[in-house]
């Protein structure tokens, strides 16, 4: 494996993974909480994370809504955000079984989780150890679901029926594949990725409404409805606290 990424020391930091696992890992990240208990709001992003918290290895399944993470003072989390379309293959389970859950890794991947936890408890570097475990598996993402995620993440995302047609799938079959790969159907995935697209655009836009149009929302009320539905916040509050 290539040289491990260097993670800066800060409250939250993320870096790209080494080149040889970028088809399976989207980001390597670390979160360090402060002296007081913390409950950072985790926004849905269509992804699944493998996380070490210093005592246990767990999986953060795909969220359908923003979820506060309850962290003890001084907690340090190291995680891998898995690439789109790979989690169900890497973990050997359909993602709808893990949706909106934080679950011990051994309940999903069995004895392999125990081996990893022992190495981590013995002082192995968390990011290096988790990356090596992913590299050893040798699984590849589902190319159709990776392509779908990329299409829905980009500007001018085509309508879902058109994407299904391009994939050679019926809309019912597309829904089934999305449940397995992402934990929810394509309409929910589209809504989540549109929100993420708006967050990327909003910080540099002239107005939030202009960013909403560019992200694919019909109007400002459509944006407000989806933001409240997914996060419980107003667009202004979401951008203030979670803008890119």
């Amino acid at each position: 494996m290539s040289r491990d990424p260097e993670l800066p020391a800060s409250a939250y930091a993320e870096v790209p993974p080494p080149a040889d696992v970028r088809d399976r890992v989207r980001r390597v990240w670390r979160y360090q909480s402060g002296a007081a208990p913390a409950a950072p709001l985790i926004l849905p992003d269509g992804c699944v994370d493998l996380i070490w918290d210093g005592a246990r290895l767990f999986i953060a399944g795909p969220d359908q809504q923003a979820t506060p993470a309850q962290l003890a003072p001084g907690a340090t989390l190291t995680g891998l955000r898995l690439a789109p379309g790979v989690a169900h293959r890497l973990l050997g389970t359909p993602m709808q079984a893990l949706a909106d859950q934080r679950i011990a890794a051994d309940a999903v991947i069995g004895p392999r989780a125990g081996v990893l936890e022992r190495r981590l408890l013995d002082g192995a570097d968390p990011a290096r150890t988790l990356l090596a475990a992913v590299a050893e598996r040798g699984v590849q993402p589902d190319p159709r679901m990776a392509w779908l995620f990329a299409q829905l993440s980009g500007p001018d995302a085509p309508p879902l029926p058109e994407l299904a047609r391009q994939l050679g799938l019926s809309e019912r079959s597309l829904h089934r594949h999305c449940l397995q790969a992402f934990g929810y159907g394509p309409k929910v995935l589209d809504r989540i990725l549109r929100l993420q697209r708006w967050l990327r655009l909003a910080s540099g836009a002239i107005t939030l409404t202009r960013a909403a149009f560019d992200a694919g929302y019909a109007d400002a009320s459509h944006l407000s409805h989806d933001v409240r539905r997914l996060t419980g916040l107003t667009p202004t509050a979401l951008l203030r606290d979670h803008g890119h």
Side-chain angles (χ1 to χ4, degrees):
M1 178 179 289
S2 55
R3 187 174 63 85
D4 299 307
E6 294 294 328
L7 285 162
S10 62
Y12 177 81
E14 63 175 40
V15 295
D20 54 351
V21 292
R22 284 183 188 169
D23 58 340
R24 287 156 282 175
V25 178
R26 188 181 178 107
R27 286 289 186 271
V28 183
W29 58 267
R30 180 183 293 133
Y31 182 86
Q32 174 77 53
S33 65
L41 191 66
I42 309 302
L43 301 183
D45 60 4
C47 295
V48 174
D49 291 60
L50 183 62
I51 303 172
W52 171 248
D53 68 2
R56 66 187 184 110
L57 186 66
F58 67 97
I59 295 162
D63 292 324
Q64 299 183 76
Q65 295 179 312
T67 304
Q70 302 295 333
L71 300 176
T76 299
L77 276 61
T78 303
L80 303 185
R81 184 158 302 123
L82 300 178
V86 77
H88 64 300
R89 293 183 168 185
L90 182 72
L91 302 175
T93 193
M95 288 301 98
Q96 67 261 42
L98 305 183
D100 301 313
Q101 294 191 60
R102 304 297 181 264
I103 187 167
D106 60 2
V108 179
I109 61 177
R112 288 185 289 118
V115 173
L116 275 176
E117 286 189 332
R118 286 191 291 275
R119 291 184 61 196
L120 291 162
L121 286 168
D122 285 343
D125 176 81
R128 178 192 294 268
T129 302
L130 296 177
L131 286 165
V134 170
E136 289 166 3
R137 291 284 291 155
V139 299
Q140 299 298 315
D142 179 334
R144 291 182 296 184
M145 294 300 97
W147 179 85
L148 177 70
F149 190 100
Q151 293 297 308
L152 293 176
S153 295
D156 304 318
L160 289 170
E162 172 61 19
L163 291 172
R165 187 192 66 78
Q166 292 185 45
L167 287 168
L169 299 171
S170 68
E171 291 186 52
R172 178 177 292 183
S173 182
L174 177 63
H175 186 84
R176 186 174 66 254
H177 281 275
C178 281
L179 285 177
Q180 181 180 58
F182 302 114
Y184 28 67
K187 290 182 180 179
V188 176
L189 179 65
D190 187 24
R191 189 179 303 125
I192 287 169
L193 295 182
R194 184 169 56 225
L195 174 66
Q196 290 288 341
R197 188 162 61 243
W198 176 77
L199 281 170
R200 291 194 298 270
L201 293 169
S203 59
I206 297 173
T207 66
L208 298 189
T209 302
R210 178 70 263 171
F213 285 133
D214 291 342
Y217 291 99
D219 51 33
S221 63
H222 184 197
L223 168 68
S224 294
H225 176 269
D226 269 18
V227 170
R228 285 192 180 277
R229 183 176 182 177
L230 291 170
T231 72
L233 301 173
T234 65
T236 301
L238 178 65
L239 184 62
R240 180 192 65 222
D241 297 337
H242 298 276
H244 292 276

